[in-house]
Amino acid sequence: MSTDEPTLFPEAPVAVNREEPDTEDGDPTNRRDALRFAALLPALASLPEDAEPREFTRHSEETDVGATTLDQVREAIATYGTDYATQPVSELWEPARQDRRHVAALLQRRTTLRQRRDLYVDAAWLSTILAWLAHDGGKQRTALAYAYDAWRHADEAEHAETAAWAKDVEATILLYGNRPAEALRAARTGAARAPAGSPAAARLISQTMRISARLGEGPQALRSAPDHLPAHQAGLFSADVARFHSFAATSHLWLRDPHSAEAHAKEALDLYASAPGISPTRRTITLLDLAIARAQLRDLDGALSLGASASQLTRPASAVTDRSKDLGKVLAEKFPHSVQVKEWQAASSGE
């Protein structure tokens, strides 16, 4: 991937109403803590013995971060998760980035221990969202940096769910970056941390399945969809049967089994048809996988028709671009002299 800034990301920042961090010289947190501690010692020395522990308690409850501020951060995170698939990357990127900076600023203020842990979890959620946005926008180095930041904050907070989702996005980025061995390690690490029965655990089962297939492991890597999954569900942090079948279709293509790939892709598309606006990117990837399967089975008209349907996507993503290129390669390989293929390749490349 190119390291140039893609056009999906606006250059001009979006103005938002956020509290700014302190601007004292040096590390503001360390400086304030040192000053407070120095001021506290003389006061403690003058207290009766039974009053000292009460003073400790009072100081442990002091905070510069209000509950409303934390609620607003969590509301923003929930909105990103719900609206992610239906909003363009260019519209989500800068607001999410500003929210992540806002959390970083809040962490420089005086907080209770619980608030600090909660802010670390919020930081992990927002960095995971930014990792997905950067990945969809074609900024893989930035995506990996945010995925790592999400993992570090989730791990420090000992929050298993966000840690698992951080590894899920990292695995996806590495897989599309043609680093499947590293992707598999990330997926397995995430699966080990994911709460049992959670959407993250189910998603990482599917991740492990398709990455193993990418590495050439046999059909034993393919499993059945977990029984508890919904058929189709909205949200960035969700798992469903439709996605499982979509991942299985990709897996069978990599295992050179187009018949099974076709069957799984059709299963997924039947589920996506019930609400096509919920997962437009994943639905388009599945259409392209079905097109690739038809091309491998030498059904030129079917492959081109599915490819044309996939081109109607209204939410661009780098994963779709990559899969479209894969379709072009298979079409050229299977139908090297086809005028239709040459016309489709010219149209898809914008020539």
Side-chain angles (χ1 to χ4, degrees):
M1 292 290 181
S2 170
T3 58
D4 294 334
E5 190 75 19
T7 56
L8 286 176
F9 296 120
E11 293 293 336
V14 176
V16 291
N17 184 19
R18 295 286 184 252
E19 300 175 71
E20 295 299 327
D22 293 339
T23 56
E24 299 168 332
D25 293 335
D27 186 323
T29 304
N30 292 340
R31 181 176 179 179
R32 284 195 301 271
D33 288 348
L35 290 172
R36 289 183 186 125
F37 183 70
L40 177 63
L41 286 178
L44 290 176
S46 63
L47 290 175
E49 187 177 79
D50 64 333
E52 184 174 302
R54 289 194 292 273
E55 190 67 9
F56 289 151
T57 302
R58 187 179 72 80
H59 277 277
S60 74
E61 295 171 345
E62 289 181 339
T63 177
D64 295 329
V65 178
T68 301
T69 299
L70 294 176
D71 288 343
Q72 289 172 344
V73 171
R74 286 168 200 140
E75 183 179 348
I77 292 168
T79 300
Y80 290 131
T82 301
D83 296 345
Y84 183 90
T86 60
Q87 299 296 319
V89 171
S90 58
E91 292 184 11
L92 293 175
W93 172 254
E94 197 60 33
R97 197 178 181 191
Q98 293 292 345
D99 282 328
R100 179 63 184 87
R101 290 172 176 173
H102 181 50
V103 170
L106 292 175
L107 282 166
Q108 298 302 308
R109 297 167 182 255
R110 177 174 52 180
T111 62
T112 66
L113 184 60
R114 179 175 296 175
Q115 285 179 330
R116 189 165 187 82
R117 180 183 182 273
D118 288 346
L119 284 168
Y120 264 62
V121 174
D122 294 339
W125 283 122
L126 286 166
S127 284
T128 300
I129 291 164
L130 284 161
W132 276 115
L133 288 168
H135 170 65
D136 281 348
K139 291 284 290 183
Q140 303 310 314
R141 289 179 61 184
T142 301
L144 277 177
Y146 273 116
Y148 181 75
D149 179 70
W151 166 257
R152 293 309 307 163
H153 279 81
D155 187 52
E156 189 69 23
E158 297 183 343
H159 196 267
E161 186 179 8
T162 48
W165 285 114
K167 285 298 177 181
D168 172 70
V169 67
E170 180 185 342
T172 299
I173 296 162
L174 290 167
L175 179 62
Y176 278 93
N178 199 30
R179 296 158 65 180
E182 295 172 70
L184 185 59
R185 284 195 294 272
R188 285 174 172 168
T189 300
R193 292 291 296 274
S198 67
R203 180 94 145 243
L204 284 157
I205 288 173
S206 298
Q207 281 280 35
T208 303
M209 172 186 71
R210 70 168 175 171
I211 298 168
S212 297
R214 178 67 177 82
L215 289 167
E217 295 186 10
Q220 69 272 12
L222 304 179
R223 310 173 187 178
S224 298
D227 294 335
H228 66 279
L229 289 182
H232 189 197
Q233 189 175 44
L236 180 60
F237 301 110
S238 63
D240 54 34
V241 175
R243 181 178 292 271
F244 174 87
H245 282 298
S246 179
F247 278 23
T250 303
S251 300
H252 278 292
L253 285 177
W254 284 334
L255 292 170
R256 302 182 185 280
D257 182 0
H259 289 287
S260 295
E262 179 183 36
H264 280 289
K266 287 181 176 178
E267 289 276 0
L269 290 170
D270 284 345
L271 294 170
Y272 287 137
S274 64
I278 288 181
S279 306
T281 301
R282 176 49 47 188
R283 179 171 176 264
T284 302
I285 291 172
T286 308
L287 276 170
L288 288 167
D289 277 347
L290 182 56
I292 292 170
R294 294 312 308 163
Q296 290 180 346
L297 294 169
R298 297 189 177 278
D299 176 7
L300 176 58
D301 290 340
L304 291 175
S305 176
L306 289 162
S309 297
S311 69
Q312 303 304 311
L313 175 75
T314 58
R315 186 184 185 276
S318 63
V320 172
T321 302
D322 289 347
R323 194 70 99 253
S324 184
K325 290 178 181 177
D326 290 341
L327 173 58
K329 291 176 184 177
V330 174
L331 287 170
E333 175 189 338
K334 298 295 182 181
F335 309 97
H337 306 298
S338 170
V339 174
Q340 290 175 282
V341 169
K342 289 181 172 61
E343 290 174 349
W344 182 85
Q345 289 176 323
S348 62
S349 64
E351 295 177 5

